[in-house]
Amino acid sequence: MTLELTQSLFERYRPEPGTYDVLVRDDGTLREHWANAVGALEGLGAQELAGRTAVLDRMLDDEGISYRLVERGISMRWPLDPLPTLVPSAQWTEIESGVIQRAVLLDLVLRDLYGPRDLLDRGLLPPEVVFAHPGFLRQCDGISTAIEQQLLTYAADLGQSSDGTTIVLADRAQAPSGAGYALANRAMLSRVFPSLYRDSQVHRVAPYFRSLRAALERVADTARTDDPRIVVLTPGSQAETSFEHTYVGSYLGYPVVEGGDLTIRDGRVHLRALGRLEPVDVILRRADAEWCDPLELRPDSQLGVPGLVEASRRSNVSVVNPLGAGVLENAGILPFLPAIAEHFLGQELLLPSVATWWCGQDQSRSHVLANLSTMVVKPIGRELGVTSVFGGELSEVDRDDLARRIEAHPHRWVGQEQLRLSTVPTMVDGVISPRPSTLRTFAVARGESYVVMAGGLTRVAPTADTLDISNQTGAVSKDTWVLASEPENPSEFWLRPGPPTTATDPSSLSSRAAENLFWLGRYAERAEAVTRMLRAVHDRLEESGPEGTVCVETLLGALTLMTATAPGFVGDGAAARIADPGAELLSLACDADRTGTLAHCIRHLLHAAEAVRDQLSQDTWMVIGSIESELAALGTTTPGQPTIIQDRLGRVLQDLLALNGLAADSMVRDAGWHFMDAGRRIERASQLAALLRATVTVVHDTATDSLLFESVLVAGESIITYRRRYRSRAQIETLLDLLVADPGNPRSLRHQVDRLSNDVTLLPGGNVPGRPTPEEKLVLQLSTLLRVLDTSAVATVDESGSRPDLAVFLAAVDTALAQISDALQSRNFVQLLPQRQMVSGVAEVWT
């Protein structure tokens, strides 16, 4: 079958001569398995394709799919190309067989290296290759999981050479990342091109995750429990693939935990749940092994669980992949793998490795040194600060320096052939162009073999001449579609027959997750209060006359008090800032590095949300993404654009209200929700008390107080109710009735305390007859204070024109709220003491 590429979308598609391209042959004709996709894309046309690309970008933002650039310390939207990579069924069968064989082989290598080390005795693997690699952890010698297979998950980075041969570029066995992103890619692209996806008969990726769940259950000690507790161990929300950790955890239904969430008791790993410790049977780790136990591995680690190695040694927990599996990522093993395959399997490798020379052998070292300008040189381990070096990009001086480093420690280096990778069609600035690509595909143990994800994570270079294809260097991802030769038979259904499954205890929430939900609620409410107050101030800035001046000064002072951003409008230099408040107001909105500002609140809101992503609905990220973009737009304004500032503040407020609505309508009323709602109630009450204390505890003239009362009611989201209830007669007593004492007003102090009382009663450990918790006692005292409040009495004015009783009452409310917050945190949140190193420096690498 010969198809000419004469279509408009692809007319400028020209692969580099001598490069294998997955779309077209050397003669420019289309490969058969692309015919349907090219026809469908041509049917869409350039304009519609551009529109769907924009939709895809919005969907990625809405879902919060992100990747963290560690060196820059920022998170970015996950880069996903709209065009899938297509792999025909026959080609995939060969890849699948090769990946399975390689996983089986590396599992045998792993068992041997931490067992009899027969490979070293027979000379099939030099000891220097193994013992010099940082991934070989001698502390883990002899440790094994409950089943024969030790390598539960595996990933292979694949490339195609200039003749189309599939080659293994690297093995990933430490904590292979990317499977979650592959799942997210599929979810996005199948929605952007539903017809093309359906008509292409694409193999699904979901069966891989069901096999992963089954494998994790299989390694648990079934003699101890038939319902094992499995957790996903993440380094935290600042890790480069933190999105994937929570995404996979949510998909599998496993809690995502950090090292501080786990503790060792009697040689067993336990989760620090609310008010109790829960035993953990299996840990799917996403942290590198050396960071997982500061007692026996890396003593400066703050990410691990002290004693985890010993718990594994006692077979009290199964860690997947096992601690020490990172030794399989050793590039120095690659030259010896064919002989090892012959030894263990009696077979040749179905997928060859990229040509590799280990510099610990004289002949190989000579070859590498003689060909540095055409080699990729790398250390055998991924050591901090040392990466792959492309010899052709080095100056002569740098090559000489590299040669000296190799000769000084030859056993630590390898040289590899620099492949000319195959290219795939990629959208580049609205034009379809060829780009070099690699594919990471994933395997998980099943039975005595492995099952491979049908597809994987394709990554393409950002430019045609980029040599290092990685996320940190700007690679773009693509969904990989394995085309079925016939309709796929559904298998491994999520719905399973059998006895009813026991639901997870709703109070089974880690202390860290509860704390982040609590502060998510507080920061969300604080951001809303600051936004409302900024809007109320901007509404009054154009007021004329002495009453307008005093009103604005009072509101500006209240804004400083509520945000705790003194000196602001109350301290040194306040007069000048009050006279020209634009710059200070913009800072209070946009300066994320200044504590108390709107941007600062939203930054911490985002951090808290990222830490509990697995607890939140997908729709939450649609709103959070919108908040980020609106805040970024607000940051582009200047003090001289009050109308634009007001409009953008309104948009931020709209998104914050949507976030509140999602929490109210989408979250199950479990312990996590009550912690978040308690945070909201404490913060809303605290902000309202601060607002009232700064505005109505001092009496002004009637005109000024009329303006102030209106602004207070606007900031308290009660102006419409007040006007309807009391018509046009404003009085301090009725204002206090509505904002302080009315239990039916969802914005009043009384309502917040009533809701808070319900929340703390329903938290774990609460509602015990005759034994109220400390926070329950404090809430009861505050509730009583509000219930017996006489608004007329506290509104009394003294000779100085102040309302001292009201000021004392509001101060007592603020103090009580702080005490409730402290008591709630002290009883429920684990305050970990800082770890101290037992030895100086870091763990040595055994060389």
Side-chain angles (χ1 to χ4, degrees):
M1 179 179 182
T2 301
L3 297 172
E4 298 293 338
L5 273 176
T6 58
Q7 297 91 342
S8 59
L9 281 177
F10 295 89
E11 61 186 359
R12 290 191 290 171
Y13 189 86
R14 295 290 184 273
E16 199 172 325
T19 300
Y20 184 88
D21 185 80
V22 303
L23 176 64
V24 297
R25 301 183 181 90
D26 293 340
D27 60 4
T29 57
L30 184 67
R31 298 188 188 278
E32 288 85 348
H33 61 281
W34 273 93
N36 178 60
V38 169
L41 293 171
E42 285 293 343
L44 293 175
Q47 185 173 356
E48 177 64 18
L49 183 57
R52 297 202 186 192
T53 301
V55 169
L56 177 61
D57 290 341
R58 286 197 300 272
M59 288 167 56
L60 291 166
D61 284 332
D62 290 345
E63 298 286 341
I65 303 175
S66 61
Y67 185 86
R68 188 166 184 80
L69 297 175
V70 177
E71 291 185 358
R72 296 170 58 186
I74 60 172
S75 293
M76 57 173 287
R77 177 209 298 153
W78 177 246
L80 175 58
D81 187 73
L83 303 181
T85 295
L86 306 187
V87 182
S89 179
Q91 180 185 357
W92 183 254
T93 298
E94 296 177 0
I95 292 175
E96 183 179 44
S97 298
V99 170
I100 290 174
Q101 182 204 47
R102 201 171 184 97
V104 170
L105 176 62
L106 291 177
D107 174 63
L108 293 171
V109 173
L110 181 64
R111 284 190 261 167
D112 180 75
L113 293 181
Y114 288 98
R117 284 187 278 279
D118 184 56
L119 293 175
L120 304 187
D121 292 341
R122 291 175 177 268
L124 293 171
L125 200 54
E128 300 93 332
V129 169
V130 177
F131 299 144
H133 191 267
F136 180 77
L137 305 177
R138 61 183 183 275
Q139 300 91 333
C140 300
D141 188 47
I143 295 177
S144 62
T145 60
I147 64 174
E148 186 176 11
Q149 286 165 306
Q150 298 303 296
L151 186 65
L152 266 288
T153 64
Y154 164 73
D157 287 340
L158 308 176
Q160 285 181 289
S161 63
S162 57
D163 63 356
T165 300
T166 300
I167 294 175
V168 177
L169 304 176
D171 299 294
R172 302 299 179 195
Q174 174 79 263
S177 63
Y181 285 112
L183 180 63
N185 286 354
R186 178 60 52 85
M188 295 295 101
L189 228 61
S190 61
R191 288 159 59 186
V192 173
F193 298 113
S195 298
L196 176 59
Y197 177 74
R198 182 183 61 250
D199 295 342
S200 298
Q201 296 185 2
V202 182
H203 280 289
R204 297 172 300 136
V205 298
Y208 168 84
F209 293 93
R210 289 195 279 276
S211 295
L212 174 59
R213 185 186 292 113
L216 294 173
E217 292 174 354
R218 195 161 62 96
V219 299
D221 186 350
T222 55
R224 185 163 51 230
T225 176
D226 57 359
D227 185 20
R229 172 169 286 280
I230 302 169
V231 299
V232 179
L233 177 62
T234 174
S237 60
Q238 301 305 300
E240 57 187 351
T241 56
S242 61
F243 162 81
E244 181 184 50
H245 305 168
T246 53
Y247 189 74
V248 171
S250 297
Y251 189 83
L252 296 175
Y254 301 146
V256 180
V257 302
E258 296 181 17
D261 297 329
L262 303 177
T263 185
I264 308 295
R265 294 289 188 276
D266 298 323
R268 286 210 63 187
V269 180
H270 291 79
L271 172 67
R272 301 179 196 266
L274 295 171
R276 64 183 187 275
L277 297 177
E278 298 181 350
V280 172
D281 301 288
V282 181
I283 297 175
L284 175 61
R285 66 175 177 90
R286 299 310 307 269
D288 285 356
E290 64 175 323
W291 298 93
C292 285
D293 185 348
L295 284 183
E296 296 203 47
L297 300 175
R298 186 164 180 150
D300 62 337
S301 172
Q302 301 291 315
L303 307 176
V305 186
L308 182 59
V309 171
E310 178 61 22
S312 300
R313 190 177 288 127
R314 296 186 186 185
S315 299
N316 285 336
V317 68
S318 294
V319 180
V320 177
N321 279 333
L323 300 174
V327 69
L328 297 178
E329 298 187 356
N330 187 342
I333 292 178
L334 297 181
F336 307 99
L337 213 52
I340 294 174
E342 184 65 34
H343 168 69
F344 275 135
L345 306 177
Q347 300 173 354
E348 294 184 356
L349 289 175
L350 299 177
L351 294 178
S353 306
V354 60
T356 303
W357 293 266
W358 177 56
C359 295
Q361 295 175 318
D362 294 342
Q363 186 175 355
S364 296
R365 180 172 65 258
S366 298
H367 177 77
V368 170
L369 294 175
N371 295 277
L372 274 181
S373 61
T374 61
M375 285 269 178
V376 180
V377 179
K378 62 177 65 173
I380 61 174
R382 291 184 292 169
E383 299 170 8
L384 189 64
V386 183
T387 58
S388 300
V389 178
F390 292 85
E393 295 184 335
L394 299 178
S395 66
E396 187 173 346
V397 172
D398 289 336
R399 276 200 296 271
D400 290 342
D401 179 66
L402 177 60
R404 284 192 293 271
R405 293 169 66 190
I406 293 173
E407 289 174 331
H409 301 284
H411 63 285
R412 294 183 178 180
W413 295 89
V414 297
Q416 293 183 330
E417 178 187 3
Q418 183 175 319
L419 288 177
R420 192 172 191 175
L421 295 170
S422 64
T423 53
V424 297
T426 307
M427 286 291 292
V428 181
D429 297 328
V431 177
I432 300 177
S433 303
R435 285 291 182 270
S437 72
T438 62
L439 168 65
R440 178 173 293 184
T441 192
F442 307 88
V444 60
R446 183 173 66 179
E448 296 180 355
S449 184
Y450 288 79
V451 60
V452 178
M453 177 188 290
L457 184 66
T458 294
R459 288 179 291 184
V460 298
T463 63
D465 56 356
T466 299
L467 298 177
D468 184 13
I469 304 178
S470 69
N471 293 96
Q472 294 295 326
T473 58
V476 177
S477 74
K478 295 171 73 72
D479 191 13
T480 307
W481 290 7
V482 176
L483 308 181
S485 55
E486 56 187 30
E488 185 179 12
N489 292 321
S491 61
E492 299 187 34
F493 294 106
W494 188 31
L495 182 65
R496 297 182 184 179
T501 303
T502 303
T504 303
D505 185 345
S507 66
S508 182
L509 181 73
S510 73
S511 173
R512 177 191 56 84
E515 184 173 12
N516 278 290
L517 286 167
F518 175 76
W519 283 103
L520 173 60
R522 290 202 67 166
Y523 278 115
E525 199 63 42
R526 190 176 300 178
E528 183 181 329
V530 173
T531 305
R532 289 186 186 280
M533 197 59 190
L534 284 168
R535 282 166 55 83
V537 168
H538 277 90
D539 284 341
R540 293 298 186 201
L541 286 178
E542 301 304 319
E543 289 286 348
S544 59
E547 68 277 6
T549 300
V550 175
C551 175
V552 169
E553 289 180 1
T554 305
L555 291 175
L556 290 174
L559 183 57
T560 296
L561 177 65
M562 293 172 65
T563 56
T565 53
F569 295 110
V570 298
D572 295 339
R577 286 186 287 273
I578 290 173
D580 184 14
E584 175 71 4
L585 289 174
L586 195 60
S587 172
L588 290 175
C590 305
D591 188 351
D593 294 325
R594 184 180 179 188
T595 302
T597 66
L598 172 60
H600 182 268
C601 291
I602 290 177
R603 172 192 284 179
H604 284 270
L605 181 158
L606 295 174
H607 287 171
E610 287 174 353
V612 289
R613 180 185 285 267
D614 57 321
Q615 301 287 328
L616 305 175
S617 71
Q618 286 295 324
D619 292 343
T620 303
W621 299 99
M622 185 186 308
V623 177
I624 286 178
S626 182
I627 293 174
E628 285 186 289
S629 61
E630 293 296 345
L631 188 64
L634 182 62
T636 64
T637 58
T638 63
Q641 299 175 300
T643 303
I644 297 176
I645 291 174
Q646 276 288 68
D647 176 66
R648 288 178 175 166
L649 283 172
R651 293 175 183 273
V652 172
L653 180 59
Q654 179 179 341
D655 290 333
L656 289 168
L657 292 173
L659 184 63
N660 191 3
L662 275 171
D665 292 339
S666 299
M667 288 187 68
V668 175
R669 284 354 184 219
D670 57 9
W673 186 88
H674 286 295
F675 274 109
M676 186 169 69
D677 193 62
R680 278 192 174 275
R681 301 309 143 197
I682 290 173
E683 191 64 39
R684 184 177 292 184
S686 178
Q687 292 291 330
L688 180 56
L691 173 63
L692 293 173
R693 194 165 75 241
T695 55
V696 300
T697 56
V698 176
V699 179
H700 306 89
D701 60 84
T702 302
T704 300
D705 276 343
S706 294
L707 294 176
L708 271 176
F709 283 14
E710 185 177 34
S711 294
V712 168
L713 288 164
V714 168
E717 184 56 10
S718 298
I719 185 68
I720 301 300
T721 302
Y722 190 90
R723 286 172 175 165
R724 186 177 66 248
R725 182 176 296 181
Y726 302 108
R727 305 204 180 271
S728 58
R729 300 184 61 182
Q731 296 177 325
I732 183 63
E733 293 86 350
T734 53
L735 182 143
L736 294 177
D737 284 341
L738 182 61
L739 289 182
V740 176
D742 188 351
N745 178 14
R747 293 281 168 175
S748 74
L749 284 176
R750 170 74 181 279
H751 186 84
Q752 309 318 310
V753 175
D754 288 348
R755 286 282 297 269
L756 183 58
S757 176
N758 180 67
D759 287 328
V760 298
T761 300
L762 295 175
L763 291 178
N767 199 25
V768 179
R771 295 174 57 191
T773 62
E775 59 266 29
E776 285 182 290
K777 294 178 183 178
L778 291 167
V779 172
L780 179 60
Q781 293 171 4
L782 179 56
S783 177
T784 302
L785 180 65
L786 286 166
R787 288 171 185 273
V788 301
L789 176 69
D790 184 340
T791 55
S792 297
V794 297
T796 303
V797 181
D798 67 5
E799 296 177 355
S800 66
S802 299
R803 298 186 176 98
D805 292 340
L806 179 59
V808 169
F809 166 76
L810 292 172
V813 169
D814 192 60
T815 300
L817 290 168
Q819 291 174 338
I820 293 168
S821 178
D822 290 344
L824 191 150
Q825 294 183 74
S826 177
R827 189 175 71 86
N828 294 283
F829 306 153
V830 176
Q831 307 301 321
L832 297 176
L833 294 174
Q835 295 182 13
R836 298 180 182 273
Q837 289 185 212
M838 298 181 68
V839 296
S840 61
V842 298
E844 287 185 70
V845 176
W846 189 17
T847 60

